[in-house]
Amino acid sequence: MAVTPTVAPGAPGIPARWTSSAKSGVGTALSPACPIWFTISHGILNEVYYPSLDGACTRDMGLVVTGPGGYFSEEKRDAEHSIDPFEDGVPAYRLVNTAADGTYRIQKRIITDPERPVLLQEISFTLLRGTVADYRVYALLAPHLVNAGMGNTAWIDNHDGKPVLFASGRGVCLALASSLPWGACSAGYVGASDGWQQLHYAGRLDPTCRRAENGNVALTGEIGFSAANPKALLALGFGTTPQEAAENASASLKRGFEPAAKSYVQKWRKWQAGLLPLDRRTAPELNTYRISTAVLATHRSSAKSGAAVASLSIPWGFSMGDDDLGGYHLVWPRDLVETAGGFLAAGDPAQAREILAYLRSIQQPDGHWPQNAWLDGSAYWPGIQMDECAFPLLLADALRRAGHLPRAKLLAFMPMIERAASYVVRNGPVTGEDRWEEDAGYSPFTLAVEIAALLAAADMFDVCGKAEPANYLRETADVWNDQIERWTYVTETSLCEEVGVKGYYVRIAPPDTAGAASPKDGYVPIKNRPLGDSDRPAEAIISPDALALVRFGLRAADDPRIVDTVKVIDARLRCDLPQGPVWYRYTGDGYGEHADGTPFDGTGQGRAWPLLTGERAHYELAAGRKDRAATLLLTFEGSAGPGGLLPEQVWDGPDMPERELWHGRPSGSAMPLVWAHSEHIKLLRSLSDGAVFDMPPQGVKRYIEDRTVAPRRIWRFNNKIRTMPAGKMLRVELLTRAVIHWSSDGWATAHDAETTENAFGIHLADLPVADVPPGNTIVFTFFWSDAGRWENVDFSIGIDKLD
C-alpha cells in the first residue's frame, strides 16, 4: 500500500538550543572556494559555519545505532571518544567512537572539500559483536541555519534520482548526500517527531514524515552499511538554493575523499612550513605549537581578509537558544590584535598586516572600534572599551618596529592611526568598560594599553614628520602614567595587613565624575552577581590585570608595588589545580558555572582562566625567572582539552561527571579561546627569545630607564581632577575655543588664558601655577568664545604637597 508523504506532527518543536562549547577539534580548508568552518566534540560534528565564520548553520550531526531487542545507542552519549589530527598542524581529524557496551566501533575522517562548500565525513562502521544485518546506523542532522534553530524547514527529496536530505532557512540551503544508498529517511520537529524520537520510542523511522516547516527541525537518514560495504562517505553541501547545495554535495561524492584530503592537507602543510619552528610536544601525539597556530588560522575569514572571530563556540551553548545569536563567533578588536600578535610571534607578519588592514576597514568615523562586531563591522554589543581603541596602535607599531610596516606603508595607515590616537587621547583615561566587558573606571590594564599606545603612536607620528602631535601624545602619556598609582593603588587596607604588604593595585577604580578617582572611595558593581549582591568596595577587588603595567613596559617587574600586588593576587586569586596554578579574573567574579555545576545563566561563579597563567608566565619571564615561566607553560598547556584546545575557563570544583565537569579540566565556557592560543604562541616565542615578545619598548625606556616625570597635570570635563601636586603646571583641555579665567588667591587677583587648538582638535592652555604653595586652591571658569557666553560655574583644584 502506498504511503502518502505528510508534514511531520509536533510543529514547531521544542525551543532550540545550541550544543556543547567543549570542542575537541576545529577546522577549515585554506581555500576561498570552501567557505565552511566546522567544530567537533563528543565524537561528532557540531556547529558548521557557512558562508562566513560568524554564521552557524548546524547544531550537530551524529549517529544513532539500533539493533535487536530495542537496542538504541547514540554515539555522542554512549561511546568513548578519541580524536587525532591527520598530522601536526593540519586540522583534519580521525575520530574513533567505541560503544561503552562494546557493541560497535565508528571511525571517521573529517575535512572540508577545498574546491567547493562541502563538508566530508568518511565513516566506517564495525560491529564488535552480533551480526551486521541486525543493526542499523542512522545519521541525525540538526540544521540551525544562519544562527537560528527556529524558523527552519527540512525535507526529503531526490536529486539525480537519489534521496537527499535538505534544509533551508534565511537564504541558505544545505543538502546531505551519501555514497551508500539512504534507507529510511525522515524530517521532523525536534522533541516531537524528529528521528531521535522515532527511533528511541518506536525503533524505526516514520516514512510519512518527509517535511517539517518553519520550526526547530531535524533530518534523519539510514546509512546503507552492510558486511560488504562497511564504509560510507557523507557529503554536507551548502548553497543559496537546494539545487546548488545538492549539486555541490554530489560533486564532492563523485570526486571522493582521498583527492579532497590530499589537497586539504597540502595547503595546511605549506602554510605551516613557513612558520618559525617553535614546535613543542606535551605527548607523542600533541604538538601544542602547531595546534595553536592551526587554531588561529582556522578562525580567519576567507571572505573578509584579516577578520577573525574570538571562538567557534557558544559558551554553555547547550543551555543557550536563539536569543544568543552571537556567541563568541564575533570580532572583538582586542582579541583580534592578540591574534595578530600570535601570527607575528609565529613568523607570519603578512597575516598581522591583513588584520591591521581589516581593523582600518571597521574603524568608526570618530576613531573608536566597536566592543564587538559581525564580520562586516556592524556592532553587536554597544559598549566602548578604551583598550580596544588603543590596541590597534600597538599592533601598527609592532609591525613597524619589526620592519614589516616601512614608512611608505605606514603612511597608508596614518589616517587610521591619527583617528585612533585622537580618540584615545580625547576620551581616556577612563574606560566605559574594562577588558572583561563589565565596569567603567580607571583600570590598570586599560591604562597600561592606553599609555603604551600613545607612546607608540607618537613614534609613528615622528616617522611621518609630525613632531608637534607626537610631542602632545607623549606629554599626555606622561601625565596619565604619573597618576596610575593615584587612581588605582591603595595602602593601609585590611587586606594589606592580612597579606603583609604595604599596598596593591586594585582591579578598577570607579570613574567619580567629581574627579576624586580614589580607589578608596566608592564601590565597584560586580557583574553577573545575584540582585543585591553586586557592589563591593573598590579596594577589596583585585585582579591579575595589574600585571599589564609590567607587560606593557610601564613598571619594572621588581617594582615593590608590583611585587606586593603579586602577593595579594596569589593570596586571593590563585587556584592550585592538578596541572598547576591557574588564576581567577578578579575577586567575586560571577562569570562561570554555579556552585552546583549548572551553567552560567546571567549569574554564576567565575572559574580559573588558563589565559591568566600565560600572562603570569610572561610576568615571571620579565622578572628574570625563566625557569618559573617554563613551568607555567606546562600548566598552561596542561589545561587543554583532549584535542589540545585551550579553554576559556577550567573547572575548580569537585568532579561532577553528570555535568561533564572534572577538576582542573575545561569547564562549559568557550573552547577553543583564540586569545589563549595566541598567548600560548607568544609565550613560546618569548621563552625562545629570552624576553617578553610583545612588550613595547617605549615605556621601558621612558619610565623605567629614564624615569620621566610629567611637569604638569591635566584638567578636562571628562576627567575633572580635584587636587594636584605643588610644583606642577596645570593644563586645561577643552573641546571648543575658550578663555580661561582663573585665580590662585580666591579671586583677589585674576588671570585670563586663551586656548589654542592642537592637531587633535583639543583646545588647551597651560596655566603657570607651579609656584602656588600647597594648601591653596586654583579656581577657574570659562568664557566660551564662539558662543559668546560664560560658563557661570567655578571649578577648583586644591594644591597638594609634591608627589
Side-chain angles (χ1 to χ4, degrees):
M1 180 177 177
V3 176
T4 303
T6 61
V7 173
I14 62 175
R17 291 290 181 266
W18 292 99
T19 190
S20 172
S21 57
K23 310 307 180 189
S24 53
V26 293
T28 189
L30 294 180
S31 168
C34 181
I36 292 180
W37 296 258
F38 66 90
T39 66
I40 295 168
S41 79
H42 297 80
I44 70 168
L45 195 68
N46 284 171
E47 294 98 344
V48 177
Y49 295 79
Y50 168 88
S52 62
L53 80 170
D54 58 357
C57 287
T58 66
R59 179 186 188 273
D60 60 14
M61 177 181 170
L63 304 181
V64 165
V65 180
T66 65
Y71 183 83
F72 180 95
S73 179
E74 190 175 7
E75 62 173 341
K76 71 178 180 181
R77 291 189 175 93
D78 303 320
E80 297 174 354
H81 314 116
S82 70
I83 181 170
D84 293 294
F86 280 19
E87 62 183 68
D88 288 349
V90 177
Y93 301 97
R94 296 184 185 89
L95 278 61
V96 179
N97 300 328
T98 305
D101 62 10
T103 299
Y104 62 83
R105 177 178 297 117
I106 294 169
Q107 295 170 289
K108 304 178 185 178
R109 294 196 294 168
I110 300 179
I111 60 167
T112 56
D113 186 341
E115 293 191 359
R116 55 188 61 85
V118 177
L119 183 138
L120 294 171
Q121 292 190 82
E122 181 192 75
I123 303 175
S124 297
F125 177 72
T126 303
L127 198 64
L128 301 179
R129 63 186 186 195
T131 303
V132 172
D134 292 336
Y135 288 83
R136 287 177 167 75
V137 181
Y138 299 86
L140 275 67
L141 172 63
H144 276 215
L145 288 158
V146 197
N147 295 326
M150 304 303 293
N152 295 295
T153 295
W155 70 98
I156 313 298
D157 204 349
N158 285 349
H159 176 76
D160 288 345
K162 297 178 180 179
V164 174
L165 284 58
F166 289 98
S168 66
R170 284 155 290 280
V172 170
C173 298
L174 62 78
L176 180 61
S178 172
S179 62
L180 295 180
W182 289 115
C185 297
S186 80
Y189 294 100
V190 174
S193 55
D194 63 274
W196 191 96
Q197 300 289 327
Q198 295 173 23
L199 294 171
H200 189 263
Y201 294 107
R204 58 187 288 274
L205 293 181
D206 183 346
T208 66
C209 293
R210 307 284 287 184
R211 188 175 183 88
E213 300 175 344
N214 192 29
N216 181 11
V217 301
L219 289 157
T220 309
E222 181 187 349
I223 305 171
F225 288 122
S226 65
N229 293 298
K231 184 181 292 185
L233 180 59
L234 300 188
L236 180 62
F238 290 87
T240 56
T241 66
Q243 178 77 9
E244 181 184 11
E247 288 175 353
N248 284 331
S250 177
S252 287
L253 285 181
K254 289 177 182 177
R255 185 187 186 208
F257 187 86
E258 294 301 338
K262 182 179 179 181
S263 174
Y264 185 103
V265 169
Q266 284 177 340
K267 292 176 186 296
W268 275 98
R269 189 183 291 158
K270 180 180 178 181
W271 179 72
Q272 290 281 5
L275 302 182
L276 294 174
L278 302 175
D279 299 70
R280 171 178 168 74
R281 291 186 181 277
T282 54
E285 68 277 9
L286 286 182
N287 184 320
T288 59
Y289 170 58
R290 300 295 171 172
I291 290 171
S292 286
T293 56
V295 166
L296 263 61
T298 297
H299 285 76
R300 296 176 303 180
S301 168
S302 59
K304 291 280 187 181
S305 177
V309 298
S311 177
L312 289 172
S313 70
I314 299 172
W316 301 283
F318 58 89
S319 67
M320 303 292 180
D322 284 1
D323 55 346
D324 191 354
L325 295 179
Y328 275 20
H329 46 273
L330 294 160
V331 176
W332 269 264
R334 171 185 44 257
D335 294 52
L336 190 53
V337 171
E338 298 284 6
T339 298
F343 281 123
L344 199 56
D348 190 349
Q351 291 297 329
R353 280 197 306 269
E354 287 185 10
I355 287 173
L356 188 65
Y358 171 75
L359 285 165
R360 176 176 58 187
S361 76
I362 67 167
Q363 186 184 28
Q364 303 301 294
D366 66 356
H368 87 276
W369 276 273
Q371 177 181 0
N372 55 18
W374 299 104
L375 291 178
D376 64 5
S378 57
Y380 183 64
W381 287 341
I384 295 180
Q385 299 171 13
M386 291 302 294
D387 68 311
E388 291 196 310
C389 302
F391 260 124
L393 294 169
L394 291 175
L395 173 58
D397 190 55
L399 285 164
R400 178 191 68 84
R401 288 185 286 103
H404 306 304
L405 205 64
R407 187 177 185 277
K409 292 185 177 180
L410 178 63
L411 287 171
F413 284 98
M414 280 309 293
M416 180 201 83
I417 291 167
E418 289 171 358
R419 286 194 298 271
S422 177
Y423 189 87
V424 172
V425 83
R426 288 161 64 97
N427 292 278
V430 168
T431 183
E433 290 182 346
D434 65 344
R435 71 163 170 168
W436 305 121
E437 329 242 26
E438 295 179 357
D439 289 323
Y442 296 89
S443 155
F445 183 92
T446 302
L447 287 167
V449 178
E450 288 175 312
I451 294 166
L454 292 185
L455 296 178
D459 281 3
M460 291 184 283
F461 274 85
D462 275 342
V463 169
C464 297
K466 300 184 177 184
E468 185 179 343
N471 185 55
Y472 172 75
L473 293 178
R474 292 190 184 100
E475 289 175 346
T476 304
D478 293 347
V479 172
W480 292 358
N481 181 69
D482 273 5
Q483 296 180 92
I484 288 174
E485 282 69 35
R486 171 182 173 80
W487 292 328
T488 67
Y489 190 78
V490 295
T491 58
E492 299 178 353
T493 70
S494 59
L495 187 54
C496 288
E497 184 177 354
E498 180 182 337
V499 180
V501 298
K502 292 183 179 180
Y504 53 89
Y505 294 94
V506 300
R507 174 203 168 202
I508 196 165
D512 190 330
T513 54
S518 169
K520 287 198 171 187
D521 298 329
Y523 288 78
V524 172
I526 305 296
K527 300 297 173 64
N528 307 314
R529 302 287 301 177
L531 192 65
D533 183 32
S534 60
D535 286 358
R536 298 284 192 280
E539 67 179 44
I541 311 301
I542 52 140
S543 170
D545 286 4
L547 299 185
L549 297 171
V550 176
R551 183 71 172 267
F552 292 97
L554 308 187
R555 299 292 182 271
D558 61 355
D559 185 311
R561 296 165 297 193
I562 293 290
V563 173
D564 277 356
T565 301
V566 168
K567 292 177 183 176
V568 175
I569 290 169
D570 286 349
R572 282 289 184 268
L573 302 176
R574 173 173 165 149
C575 178
D576 289 315
L577 296 171
Q579 65 268 36
V582 186
W583 282 264
Y584 299 108
R585 296 194 302 174
Y586 57 82
T587 316
D589 185 8
Y591 183 57
E593 285 91 350
H594 291 269
D596 63 358
T598 53
F600 173 77
D601 56 5
T603 66
Q605 181 178 326
R607 306 297 166 178
W609 285 56
L611 165 70
L612 299 176
T613 297
E615 292 186 352
R616 177 57 173 269
H618 271 110
Y619 166 73
E620 297 294 339
L621 184 59
R625 295 184 285 268
K626 186 175 181 180
D627 289 349
R628 177 64 177 148
T631 299
L632 288 171
L633 169 64
L634 293 174
T635 300
F636 195 5
E637 294 174 339
S639 300
L645 302 185
L646 291 167
E648 181 181 67
Q649 301 177 44
V650 288
W651 179 243
D652 57 352
D655 290 352
M656 294 185 180
E658 70 280 8
R659 298 196 181 277
E660 298 188 351
L661 294 171
W662 288 272
H663 191 62
R665 309 313 302 155
S667 74
S669 58
M671 186 166 75
L673 184 65
V674 180
W675 182 3
H677 282 280
S678 299
E679 181 72 3
H680 175 241
I681 294 169
K682 286 190 281 188
L683 182 54
L684 289 172
R685 176 65 183 272
S686 296
L687 287 167
S688 176
D689 292 351
V692 177
F693 169 74
D694 59 354
M695 183 183 290
Q698 293 93 343
V700 176
K701 178 70 168 63
R702 194 169 185 88
Y703 303 130
I704 299 175
E705 296 176 5
D706 295 346
R707 300 182 180 275
T708 301
V709 176
R712 61 179 57 81
R713 289 291 180 265
I714 296 174
W715 184 99
R716 49 169 62 169
F717 274 97
N718 68 342
N719 191 28
K720 301 172 186 171
I721 61 172
R722 283 180 177 174
T723 62
M724 61 179 286
K728 304 281 188 184
M729 285 188 296
L730 173 63
R731 173 169 287 176
V732 177
E733 298 187 343
L734 308 168
L735 297 181
T736 189
R737 193 162 62 98
V739 174
I740 303 166
H741 188 63
W742 66 279
S743 173
S744 61
D745 55 12
W747 296 118
T749 60
H751 315 273
D752 288 330
E754 190 169 352
T755 62
T756 58
E757 184 177 6
N758 70 7
F760 300 103
I762 295 173
H763 298 259
L764 59 87
D766 284 331
L767 307 187
V769 301
D771 293 334
V772 177
N776 284 30
T777 299
I778 309 298
V779 185
F780 54 95
T781 189
F782 308 108
F783 179 78
W784 301 108
S785 305
D786 295 334
R789 65 174 180 81
W790 286 92
E791 176 68 15
N792 289 326
V793 174
D794 285 353
F795 303 94
S796 61
I797 300 173
I799 304 297
D800 291 337
K801 61 183 179 181
L802 195 64
D803 279 353

